[in-house]
Amino acid sequence: MIALRSMVLAAALLAASPGIVPEGLDPARVALSLLFGTIVGFSLGLTGGGGSIFAVPLLVYGLGVVPNEAVGVSLAAVGATALFGCLHRLRAGEVEVGTGLIFAGAGMVGAPIGSWIGAKLPGTLLLLLFSGLMLVVAARMWRKATTSPDESRAIRARTGPLPSGEPGPTCRRDPSGRLTLSTPCAVLLSGVGLITGILSGLFGVGGGFVIVPALVFFSGMGVHRAVATSLLVIALIGASGVFSSLAAGRPLAIDLTVRFVLGGLLGMGLGTRVGRRLSGPKLQKLFAVAILLVAVYVVARSLSGA
């Protein structure tokens, strides 16, 4: 059903946007931007964060967009696509709104900081730092899915009484699985959200590759629920990142962004359906492999000077 809704919405937006294909623009470039947007939407629906990781390399190496300009397009396109996916999953009751808002609130503060830092860095250095971050995240996700598969399947936060003298985890859940929001837990989630926002503004990503594992590892959330909640965070942080990017004087190609969003809506529905058929460990391993491949490619292209 979500796939059909995505297609209908994309068609409606296409009909309402006659300027999506500016006169004189190469049709092949238009087709590529729609295809790349679909890939981004598919991975975003599948993992909650892969879309943002794929967006910048596709824009830079597939469409020839300058790295610093690709940041704004990526944030806008990924944020808009995530918003659509979030609304659907919100109706399905899969999003933990409270936890997501804590992350997003702190992230929206961090995004302008990251945007300011990114504006000072050369494009090649920005891409190399980006790929380094991807390698770290991929390695950690693969290790967790391999050595602790149960942590990828379901809520893992302790729900029973603590043994005497044991401090327990910072964030805990009640027997029904609802997060018990203590002050230390709120501080921890806000801190991770702030770091996520800085990374989002710096690299032009929604931050889902940080948000999803952070929700699983720190709040005890199951990976499928973490993917759904991350879409809310990505949408809000993306909006903050776009604003800070524009404030920093970075141009935003509206027509390219719209095409990316249209493709993203088509891919989002399919990615969501496929993701629900995969177990938590398989989903995390798939996510880790995708991140690793993109990171290796970015490093190779950056070092070769291509």
Side-chain angles (χ1 to χ4, degrees), residues 96 99 155-163 166-186 188-189 217-221:
E96 285 195 15
T99 307
I155 293 172
R156 66 181 182 87
R158 188 192 298 272
T159 58
L162 293 171
E166 183 177 335
T170 303
C171 294
R172 301 184 60 210
R173 292 179 177 270
D174 60 26
S176 67
R178 187 184 300 273
L179 183 67
T180 301
L181 192 59
S182 62
T183 299
C185 179
L188 174 63
L189 295 180
F217 301 145
F218 296 125
S219 77
M221 192 182 297

PDB file of all heavy atoms in Angstrom, residues 96 99 155-163 166-186 188-189 217-221:
ATOM      1  N   GLU A  96       8.504   6.014  17.846  1.00  0.00           N
ATOM      2  CA  GLU A  96       8.537   6.484  19.230  1.00  0.00           C
ATOM      3  C   GLU A  96       8.768   7.991  19.188  1.00  0.00           C
ATOM      4  O   GLU A  96       9.910   8.461  19.111  1.00  0.00           O
ATOM      5  CB  GLU A  96       9.640   5.792  20.027  1.00  0.00           C
ATOM      6  CG  GLU A  96       9.306   4.354  20.392  1.00  0.00           C
ATOM      7  CD  GLU A  96      10.218   3.804  21.476  1.00  0.00           C
ATOM      8  OE1 GLU A  96      10.924   4.607  22.141  1.00  0.00           O
ATOM      9  OE2 GLU A  96      10.220   2.585  21.666  1.00  0.00           O
ATOM     10  N   THR A  99      11.052   9.821  22.065  1.00  0.00           N
ATOM     11  CA  THR A  99      12.483   9.561  21.900  1.00  0.00           C
ATOM     12  C   THR A  99      13.020  10.279  20.665  1.00  0.00           C
ATOM     13  O   THR A  99      14.105  10.866  20.686  1.00  0.00           O
ATOM     14  CB  THR A  99      12.740   8.050  21.761  1.00  0.00           C
ATOM     15  OG1 THR A  99      12.136   7.366  22.869  1.00  0.00           O
ATOM     16  CG2 THR A  99      14.222   7.751  21.736  1.00  0.00           C
ATOM     17  N   ILE A 155      13.710  -5.277  21.607  1.00  0.00           N
ATOM     18  CA  ILE A 155      14.080  -4.410  22.719  1.00  0.00           C
ATOM     19  C   ILE A 155      14.987  -5.171  23.664  1.00  0.00           C
ATOM     20  O   ILE A 155      14.680  -6.283  24.077  1.00  0.00           O
ATOM     21  CB  ILE A 155      12.815  -3.928  23.467  1.00  0.00           C
ATOM     22  CG1 ILE A 155      12.030  -3.006  22.545  1.00  0.00           C
ATOM     23  CG2 ILE A 155      13.158  -3.238  24.758  1.00  0.00           C
ATOM     24  CD1 ILE A 155      10.686  -2.613  23.087  1.00  0.00           C
ATOM     25  N   ARG A 156      16.102  -4.567  23.985  1.00  0.00           N
ATOM     26  CA  ARG A 156      17.067  -5.285  24.803  1.00  0.00           C
ATOM     27  C   ARG A 156      17.329  -4.588  26.138  1.00  0.00           C
ATOM     28  O   ARG A 156      18.109  -5.073  26.947  1.00  0.00           O
ATOM     29  CB  ARG A 156      18.394  -5.423  24.056  1.00  0.00           C
ATOM     30  CG  ARG A 156      19.101  -4.101  23.812  1.00  0.00           C
ATOM     31  CD  ARG A 156      20.384  -4.316  23.039  1.00  0.00           C
ATOM     32  NE  ARG A 156      21.104  -3.067  22.837  1.00  0.00           N
ATOM     33  CZ  ARG A 156      21.972  -2.575  23.705  1.00  0.00           C
ATOM     34  NH1 ARG A 156      22.217  -3.204  24.822  1.00  0.00           N
ATOM     35  NH2 ARG A 156      22.590  -1.438  23.449  1.00  0.00           N
ATOM     36  N   ALA A 157      16.723  -3.438  26.369  1.00  0.00           N
ATOM     37  CA  ALA A 157      16.936  -2.754  27.642  1.00  0.00           C
ATOM     38  C   ALA A 157      16.342  -3.567  28.786  1.00  0.00           C
ATOM     39  O   ALA A 157      15.329  -4.232  28.634  1.00  0.00           O
ATOM     40  CB  ALA A 157      16.286  -1.366  27.625  1.00  0.00           C
ATOM     41  N   ARG A 158      16.983  -3.526  29.916  1.00  0.00           N
ATOM     42  CA  ARG A 158      16.512  -4.296  31.059  1.00  0.00           C
ATOM     43  C   ARG A 158      15.148  -3.775  31.516  1.00  0.00           C
ATOM     44  O   ARG A 158      14.922  -2.580  31.607  1.00  0.00           O
ATOM     45  CB  ARG A 158      17.529  -4.173  32.207  1.00  0.00           C
ATOM     46  CG  ARG A 158      17.222  -5.102  33.377  1.00  0.00           C
ATOM     47  CD  ARG A 158      18.073  -4.736  34.581  1.00  0.00           C
ATOM     48  NE  ARG A 158      19.477  -4.886  34.312  1.00  0.00           N
ATOM     49  CZ  ARG A 158      20.148  -6.021  34.478  1.00  0.00           C
ATOM     50  NH1 ARG A 158      19.516  -7.102  34.884  1.00  0.00           N
ATOM     51  NH2 ARG A 158      21.437  -6.076  34.214  1.00  0.00           N
ATOM     52  N   THR A 159      14.229  -4.701  31.810  1.00  0.00           N
ATOM     53  CA  THR A 159      12.901  -4.301  32.258  1.00  0.00           C
ATOM     54  C   THR A 159      12.599  -4.776  33.662  1.00  0.00           C
ATOM     55  O   THR A 159      11.695  -4.263  34.305  1.00  0.00           O
ATOM     56  CB  THR A 159      11.824  -4.884  31.324  1.00  0.00           C
ATOM     57  OG1 THR A 159      11.946  -6.304  31.292  1.00  0.00           O
ATOM     58  CG2 THR A 159      11.984  -4.325  29.912  1.00  0.00           C
ATOM     59  N   GLY A 160      13.343  -5.751  34.150  1.00  0.00           N
ATOM     60  CA  GLY A 160      13.085  -6.279  35.482  1.00  0.00           C
ATOM     61  C   GLY A 160      13.831  -5.503  36.542  1.00  0.00           C
ATOM     62  O   GLY A 160      14.578  -4.569  36.272  1.00  0.00           O
ATOM     63  N   PRO A 161      13.675  -5.899  37.828  1.00  0.00           N
ATOM     64  CA  PRO A 161      14.385  -5.226  38.906  1.00  0.00           C
ATOM     65  C   PRO A 161      15.888  -5.464  38.802  1.00  0.00           C
ATOM     66  O   PRO A 161      16.353  -6.502  38.343  1.00  0.00           O
ATOM     67  CB  PRO A 161      13.796  -5.877  40.172  1.00  0.00           C
ATOM     68  CG  PRO A 161      13.283  -7.209  39.698  1.00  0.00           C
ATOM     69  CD  PRO A 161      12.807  -6.973  38.312  1.00  0.00           C
ATOM     70  N   LEU A 162      16.654  -4.474  39.212  1.00  0.00           N
ATOM     71  CA  LEU A 162      18.104  -4.572  39.160  1.00  0.00           C
ATOM     72  C   LEU A 162      18.644  -5.298  40.376  1.00  0.00           C
ATOM     73  O   LEU A 162      18.139  -5.105  41.487  1.00  0.00           O
ATOM     74  CB  LEU A 162      18.727  -3.175  39.098  1.00  0.00           C
ATOM     75  CG  LEU A 162      18.462  -2.364  37.834  1.00  0.00           C
ATOM     76  CD1 LEU A 162      18.953  -0.938  38.056  1.00  0.00           C
ATOM     77  CD2 LEU A 162      19.142  -2.990  36.638  1.00  0.00           C
ATOM     78  N   PRO A 163      19.680  -6.119  40.213  1.00  0.00           N
ATOM     79  CA  PRO A 163      20.330  -6.736  41.364  1.00  0.00           C
ATOM     80  C   PRO A 163      20.925  -5.670  42.272  1.00  0.00           C
ATOM     81  O   PRO A 163      21.283  -4.588  41.820  1.00  0.00           O
ATOM     82  CB  PRO A 163      21.430  -7.601  40.721  1.00  0.00           C
ATOM     83  CG  PRO A 163      20.960  -7.833  39.314  1.00  0.00           C
ATOM     84  CD  PRO A 163      20.219  -6.585  38.940  1.00  0.00           C
ATOM     85  N   GLU A 166      23.929  -2.983  41.505  1.00  0.00           N
ATOM     86  CA  GLU A 166      24.187  -2.834  40.074  1.00  0.00           C
ATOM     87  C   GLU A 166      23.555  -1.545  39.570  1.00  0.00           C
ATOM     88  O   GLU A 166      22.350  -1.340  39.741  1.00  0.00           O
ATOM     89  CB  GLU A 166      23.626  -4.029  39.308  1.00  0.00           C
ATOM     90  CG  GLU A 166      23.928  -3.970  37.817  1.00  0.00           C
ATOM     91  CD  GLU A 166      23.432  -5.205  37.078  1.00  0.00           C
ATOM     92  OE1 GLU A 166      23.308  -6.261  37.722  1.00  0.00           O
ATOM     93  OE2 GLU A 166      23.147  -5.094  35.870  1.00  0.00           O
ATOM     94  N   PRO A 167      24.327  -0.634  38.969  1.00  0.00           N
ATOM     95  CA  PRO A 167      23.777   0.643  38.533  1.00  0.00           C
ATOM     96  C   PRO A 167      22.787   0.515  37.389  1.00  0.00           C
ATOM     97  O   PRO A 167      21.874   1.309  37.263  1.00  0.00           O
ATOM     98  CB  PRO A 167      25.024   1.425  38.097  1.00  0.00           C
ATOM     99  CG  PRO A 167      26.028   0.380  37.743  1.00  0.00           C
ATOM    100  CD  PRO A 167      25.763  -0.765  38.676  1.00  0.00           C
ATOM    101  N   GLY A 168      22.980  -0.475  36.516  1.00  0.00           N
ATOM    102  CA  GLY A 168      22.048  -0.661  35.400  1.00  0.00           C
ATOM    103  C   GLY A 168      22.332   0.300  34.269  1.00  0.00           C
ATOM    104  O   GLY A 168      23.167   1.198  34.363  1.00  0.00           O
ATOM    105  N   PRO A 169      21.641   0.125  33.135  1.00  0.00           N
ATOM    106  CA  PRO A 169      21.847   0.986  31.970  1.00  0.00           C
ATOM    107  C   PRO A 169      21.298   2.386  32.211  1.00  0.00           C
ATOM    108  O   PRO A 169      20.425   2.584  33.060  1.00  0.00           O
ATOM    109  CB  PRO A 169      21.056   0.264  30.870  1.00  0.00           C
ATOM    110  CG  PRO A 169      20.001  -0.492  31.609  1.00  0.00           C
ATOM    111  CD  PRO A 169      20.615  -0.915  32.894  1.00  0.00           C
ATOM    112  N   THR A 170      21.818   3.354  31.461  1.00  0.00           N
ATOM    113  CA  THR A 170      21.344   4.733  31.612  1.00  0.00           C
ATOM    114  C   THR A 170      19.882   4.855  31.206  1.00  0.00           C
ATOM    115  O   THR A 170      19.101   5.548  31.856  1.00  0.00           O
ATOM    116  CB  THR A 170      22.204   5.678  30.764  1.00  0.00           C
ATOM    117  OG1 THR A 170      23.573   5.528  31.153  1.00  0.00           O
ATOM    118  CG2 THR A 170      21.789   7.128  30.968  1.00  0.00           C
ATOM    119  N   CYS A 171      19.509   4.202  30.106  1.00  0.00           N
ATOM    120  CA  CYS A 171      18.127   4.220  29.633  1.00  0.00           C
ATOM    121  C   CYS A 171      17.494   2.854  29.862  1.00  0.00           C
ATOM    122  O   CYS A 171      18.071   1.829  29.504  1.00  0.00           O
ATOM    123  CB  CYS A 171      18.074   4.565  28.138  1.00  0.00           C
ATOM    124  SG  CYS A 171      18.609   6.250  27.752  1.00  0.00           S
ATOM    125  N   ARG A 172      16.304   2.845  30.458  1.00  0.00           N
ATOM    126  CA  ARG A 172      15.614   1.600  30.765  1.00  0.00           C
ATOM    127  C   ARG A 172      14.200   1.651  30.212  1.00  0.00           C
ATOM    128  O   ARG A 172      13.672   2.718  29.906  1.00  0.00           O
ATOM    129  CB  ARG A 172      15.560   1.355  32.278  1.00  0.00           C
ATOM    130  CG  ARG A 172      16.914   1.289  32.953  1.00  0.00           C
ATOM    131  CD  ARG A 172      16.752   0.946  34.432  1.00  0.00           C
ATOM    132  NE  ARG A 172      16.100  -0.333  34.596  1.00  0.00           N
ATOM    133  CZ  ARG A 172      15.326  -0.645  35.644  1.00  0.00           C
ATOM    134  NH1 ARG A 172      15.085   0.258  36.581  1.00  0.00           N
ATOM    135  NH2 ARG A 172      14.782  -1.845  35.740  1.00  0.00           N
ATOM    136  N   ARG A 173      13.585   0.488  30.094  1.00  0.00           N
ATOM    137  CA  ARG A 173      12.204   0.365  29.617  1.00  0.00           C
ATOM    138  C   ARG A 173      11.368  -0.399  30.628  1.00  0.00           C
ATOM    139  O   ARG A 173      11.871  -1.266  31.338  1.00  0.00           O
ATOM    140  CB  ARG A 173      12.180  -0.332  28.248  1.00  0.00           C
ATOM    141  CG  ARG A 173      12.802   0.510  27.152  1.00  0.00           C
ATOM    142  CD  ARG A 173      12.796  -0.175  25.796  1.00  0.00           C
ATOM    143  NE  ARG A 173      13.351   0.724  24.785  1.00  0.00           N
ATOM    144  CZ  ARG A 173      12.642   1.586  24.074  1.00  0.00           C
ATOM    145  NH1 ARG A 173      11.326   1.643  24.232  1.00  0.00           N
ATOM    146  NH2 ARG A 173      13.224   2.391  23.205  1.00  0.00           N
ATOM    147  N   ASP A 174      10.070  -0.037  30.663  1.00  0.00           N
ATOM    148  CA  ASP A 174       9.164  -0.742  31.563  1.00  0.00           C
ATOM    149  C   ASP A 174       8.798  -2.093  30.940  1.00  0.00           C
ATOM    150  O   ASP A 174       9.167  -2.392  29.806  1.00  0.00           O
ATOM    151  CB  ASP A 174       7.923   0.112  31.870  1.00  0.00           C
ATOM    152  CG  ASP A 174       7.125   0.452  30.625  1.00  0.00           C
ATOM    153  OD1 ASP A 174       7.192  -0.318  29.638  1.00  0.00           O
ATOM    154  OD2 ASP A 174       6.428   1.480  30.624  1.00  0.00           O
ATOM    155  N   PRO A 175       8.066  -2.941  31.669  1.00  0.00           N
ATOM    156  CA  PRO A 175       7.741  -4.272  31.141  1.00  0.00           C
ATOM    157  C   PRO A 175       6.999  -4.260  29.809  1.00  0.00           C
ATOM    158  O   PRO A 175       7.060  -5.228  29.060  1.00  0.00           O
ATOM    159  CB  PRO A 175       6.860  -4.869  32.251  1.00  0.00           C
ATOM    160  CG  PRO A 175       7.355  -4.215  33.501  1.00  0.00           C
ATOM    161  CD  PRO A 175       7.678  -2.798  33.079  1.00  0.00           C
ATOM    162  N   SER A 176       6.309  -3.162  29.493  1.00  0.00           N
ATOM    163  CA  SER A 176       5.587  -3.092  28.213  1.00  0.00           C
ATOM    164  C   SER A 176       6.499  -2.668  27.058  1.00  0.00           C
ATOM    165  O   SER A 176       6.079  -2.655  25.905  1.00  0.00           O
ATOM    166  CB  SER A 176       4.422  -2.100  28.322  1.00  0.00           C
ATOM    167  OG  SER A 176       4.899  -0.777  28.484  1.00  0.00           O
ATOM    168  N   GLY A 177       7.747  -2.316  27.383  1.00  0.00           N
ATOM    169  CA  GLY A 177       8.681  -1.890  26.348  1.00  0.00           C
ATOM    170  C   GLY A 177       8.769  -0.388  26.185  1.00  0.00           C
ATOM    171  O   GLY A 177       9.524   0.106  25.357  1.00  0.00           O
ATOM    172  N   ARG A 178       8.014   0.381  26.977  1.00  0.00           N
ATOM    173  CA  ARG A 178       8.044   1.840  26.870  1.00  0.00           C
ATOM    174  C   ARG A 178       9.280   2.394  27.565  1.00  0.00           C
ATOM    175  O   ARG A 178       9.634   1.964  28.666  1.00  0.00           O
ATOM    176  CB  ARG A 178       6.791   2.440  27.498  1.00  0.00           C
ATOM    177  CG  ARG A 178       6.650   3.952  27.297  1.00  0.00           C
ATOM    178  CD  ARG A 178       5.426   4.472  28.043  1.00  0.00           C
ATOM    179  NE  ARG A 178       4.227   3.822  27.541  1.00  0.00           N
ATOM    180  CZ  ARG A 178       3.518   4.238  26.499  1.00  0.00           C
ATOM    181  NH1 ARG A 178       3.928   5.307  25.834  1.00  0.00           N
ATOM    182  NH2 ARG A 178       2.435   3.606  26.127  1.00  0.00           N
ATOM    183  N   LEU A 179       9.945   3.354  26.925  1.00  0.00           N
ATOM    184  CA  LEU A 179      11.156   3.945  27.478  1.00  0.00           C
ATOM    185  C   LEU A 179      10.839   4.762  28.727  1.00  0.00           C
ATOM    186  O   LEU A 179       9.926   5.590  28.733  1.00  0.00           O
ATOM    187  CB  LEU A 179      11.822   4.846  26.437  1.00  0.00           C
ATOM    188  CG  LEU A 179      13.155   5.495  26.842  1.00  0.00           C
ATOM    189  CD1 LEU A 179      14.238   4.441  27.002  1.00  0.00           C
ATOM    190  CD2 LEU A 179      13.569   6.537  25.808  1.00  0.00           C
ATOM    191  N   THR A 180      11.585   4.512  29.792  1.00  0.00           N
ATOM    192  CA  THR A 180      11.465   5.299  31.013  1.00  0.00           C
ATOM    193  C   THR A 180      12.450   6.462  30.912  1.00  0.00           C
ATOM    194  O   THR A 180      13.666   6.268  31.007  1.00  0.00           O
ATOM    195  CB  THR A 180      11.797   4.443  32.250  1.00  0.00           C
ATOM    196  OG1 THR A 180      10.907   3.326  32.303  1.00  0.00           O
ATOM    197  CG2 THR A 180      11.654   5.264  33.522  1.00  0.00           C
ATOM    198  N   LEU A 181      11.927   7.660  30.722  1.00  0.00           N
ATOM    199  CA  LEU A 181      12.771   8.812  30.421  1.00  0.00           C
ATOM    200  C   LEU A 181      13.247   9.491  31.709  1.00  0.00           C
ATOM    201  O   LEU A 181      12.614  10.411  32.225  1.00  0.00           O
ATOM    202  CB  LEU A 181      12.015   9.814  29.541  1.00  0.00           C
ATOM    203  CG  LEU A 181      12.866  10.919  28.916  1.00  0.00           C
ATOM    204  CD1 LEU A 181      13.962  10.324  28.047  1.00  0.00           C
ATOM    205  CD2 LEU A 181      11.989  11.847  28.092  1.00  0.00           C
ATOM    206  N   SER A 182      14.399   9.052  32.213  1.00  0.00           N
ATOM    207  CA  SER A 182      15.016   9.691  33.366  1.00  0.00           C
ATOM    208  C   SER A 182      15.909  10.832  32.883  1.00  0.00           C
ATOM    209  O   SER A 182      16.195  10.962  31.690  1.00  0.00           O
ATOM    210  CB  SER A 182      15.850   8.673  34.141  1.00  0.00           C
ATOM    211  OG  SER A 182      16.896   8.164  33.323  1.00  0.00           O
ATOM    212  N   THR A 183      16.371  11.644  33.822  1.00  0.00           N
ATOM    213  CA  THR A 183      17.243  12.754  33.461  1.00  0.00           C
ATOM    214  C   THR A 183      18.552  12.276  32.826  1.00  0.00           C
ATOM    215  O   THR A 183      18.959  12.804  31.775  1.00  0.00           O
ATOM    216  CB  THR A 183      17.552  13.631  34.689  1.00  0.00           C
ATOM    217  OG1 THR A 183      16.319  14.172  35.203  1.00  0.00           O
ATOM    218  CG2 THR A 183      18.498  14.766  34.321  1.00  0.00           C
ATOM    219  N   PRO A 184      19.233  11.274  33.413  1.00  0.00           N
ATOM    220  CA  PRO A 184      20.462  10.783  32.761  1.00  0.00           C
ATOM    221  C   PRO A 184      20.211  10.246  31.359  1.00  0.00           C
ATOM    222  O   PRO A 184      21.028  10.440  30.453  1.00  0.00           O
ATOM    223  CB  PRO A 184      20.946   9.674  33.702  1.00  0.00           C
ATOM    224  CG  PRO A 184      20.359  10.013  35.027  1.00  0.00           C
ATOM    225  CD  PRO A 184      19.018  10.612  34.713  1.00  0.00           C
ATOM    226  N   CYS A 185      19.067   9.583  31.159  1.00  0.00           N
ATOM    227  CA  CYS A 185      18.735   9.046  29.848  1.00  0.00           C
ATOM    228  C   CYS A 185      18.509  10.177  28.843  1.00  0.00           C
ATOM    229  O   CYS A 185      18.995  10.124  27.709  1.00  0.00           O
ATOM    230  CB  CYS A 185      17.487   8.167  29.932  1.00  0.00           C
ATOM    231  SG  CYS A 185      16.965   7.458  28.355  1.00  0.00           S
ATOM    232  N   ALA A 186      17.771  11.217  29.268  1.00  0.00           N
ATOM    233  CA  ALA A 186      17.512  12.356  28.387  1.00  0.00           C
ATOM    234  C   ALA A 186      18.808  13.059  28.015  1.00  0.00           C
ATOM    235  O   ALA A 186      18.998  13.482  26.858  1.00  0.00           O
ATOM    236  CB  ALA A 186      16.554  13.338  29.062  1.00  0.00           C
ATOM    237  N   LEU A 188      21.824  11.680  27.877  1.00  0.00           N
ATOM    238  CA  LEU A 188      22.555  10.803  26.967  1.00  0.00           C
ATOM    239  C   LEU A 188      22.011  10.901  25.547  1.00  0.00           C
ATOM    240  O   LEU A 188      22.769  11.086  24.585  1.00  0.00           O
ATOM    241  CB  LEU A 188      22.463   9.354  27.459  1.00  0.00           C
ATOM    242  CG  LEU A 188      23.051   8.287  26.530  1.00  0.00           C
ATOM    243  CD1 LEU A 188      24.546   8.506  26.348  1.00  0.00           C
ATOM    244  CD2 LEU A 188      22.772   6.890  27.068  1.00  0.00           C
ATOM    245  N   LEU A 189      20.690  10.802  25.407  1.00  0.00           N
ATOM    246  CA  LEU A 189      20.081  10.860  24.082  1.00  0.00           C
ATOM    247  C   LEU A 189      20.286  12.228  23.436  1.00  0.00           C
ATOM    248  O   LEU A 189      20.498  12.328  22.223  1.00  0.00           O
ATOM    249  CB  LEU A 189      18.586  10.540  24.179  1.00  0.00           C
ATOM    250  CG  LEU A 189      18.226   9.111  24.630  1.00  0.00           C
ATOM    251  CD1 LEU A 189      16.721   8.936  24.683  1.00  0.00           C
ATOM    252  CD2 LEU A 189      18.849   8.079  23.705  1.00  0.00           C
ATOM    253  N   PHE A 217      21.448   0.839  20.546  1.00  0.00           N
ATOM    254  CA  PHE A 217      22.454   0.621  21.573  1.00  0.00           C
ATOM    255  C   PHE A 217      22.170   1.394  22.868  1.00  0.00           C
ATOM    256  O   PHE A 217      22.406   0.880  23.960  1.00  0.00           O
ATOM    257  CB  PHE A 217      23.842   1.023  21.053  1.00  0.00           C
ATOM    258  CG  PHE A 217      24.256   0.267  19.826  1.00  0.00           C
ATOM    259  CD1 PHE A 217      25.014   0.887  18.847  1.00  0.00           C
ATOM    260  CD2 PHE A 217      23.886  -1.060  19.629  1.00  0.00           C
ATOM    261  CE1 PHE A 217      25.397   0.202  17.703  1.00  0.00           C
ATOM    262  CE2 PHE A 217      24.257  -1.748  18.494  1.00  0.00           C
ATOM    263  CZ  PHE A 217      25.018  -1.113  17.521  1.00  0.00           C
ATOM    264  N   PHE A 218      21.656   2.633  22.760  1.00  0.00           N
ATOM    265  CA  PHE A 218      21.497   3.470  23.936  1.00  0.00           C
ATOM    266  C   PHE A 218      20.085   3.462  24.524  1.00  0.00           C
ATOM    267  O   PHE A 218      19.927   3.566  25.736  1.00  0.00           O
ATOM    268  CB  PHE A 218      21.901   4.917  23.619  1.00  0.00           C
ATOM    269  CG  PHE A 218      23.342   5.074  23.267  1.00  0.00           C
ATOM    270  CD1 PHE A 218      23.729   5.674  22.090  1.00  0.00           C
ATOM    271  CD2 PHE A 218      24.331   4.617  24.114  1.00  0.00           C
ATOM    272  CE1 PHE A 218      25.060   5.820  21.749  1.00  0.00           C
ATOM    273  CE2 PHE A 218      25.672   4.748  23.797  1.00  0.00           C
ATOM    274  CZ  PHE A 218      26.043   5.346  22.611  1.00  0.00           C
ATOM    275  N   SER A 219      19.057   3.361  23.682  1.00  0.00           N
ATOM    276  CA  SER A 219      17.693   3.396  24.214  1.00  0.00           C
ATOM    277  C   SER A 219      17.061   2.017  24.281  1.00  0.00           C
ATOM    278  O   SER A 219      15.941   1.879  24.765  1.00  0.00           O
ATOM    279  CB  SER A 219      16.812   4.316  23.354  1.00  0.00           C
ATOM    280  OG  SER A 219      16.442   3.685  22.143  1.00  0.00           O
ATOM    281  N   GLY A 220      17.771   0.985  23.776  1.00  0.00           N
ATOM    282  CA  GLY A 220      17.230  -0.361  23.856  1.00  0.00           C
ATOM    283  C   GLY A 220      16.099  -0.613  22.884  1.00  0.00           C
ATOM    284  O   GLY A 220      15.257  -1.485  23.106  1.00  0.00           O
ATOM    285  N   MET A 221      16.033   0.112  21.800  1.00  0.00           N
ATOM    286  CA  MET A 221      14.942  -0.012  20.835  1.00  0.00           C
ATOM    287  C   MET A 221      15.272  -1.091  19.805  1.00  0.00           C
ATOM    288  O   MET A 221      16.416  -1.261  19.417  1.00  0.00           O
ATOM    289  CB  MET A 221      14.740   1.340  20.129  1.00  0.00           C
ATOM    290  CG  MET A 221      13.470   1.453  19.304  1.00  0.00           C
ATOM    291  SD  MET A 221      13.378   3.079  18.471  1.00  0.00           S
ATOM    292  CE  MET A 221      13.295   4.194  19.885  1.00  0.00           C
TER     293      MET A 221
END
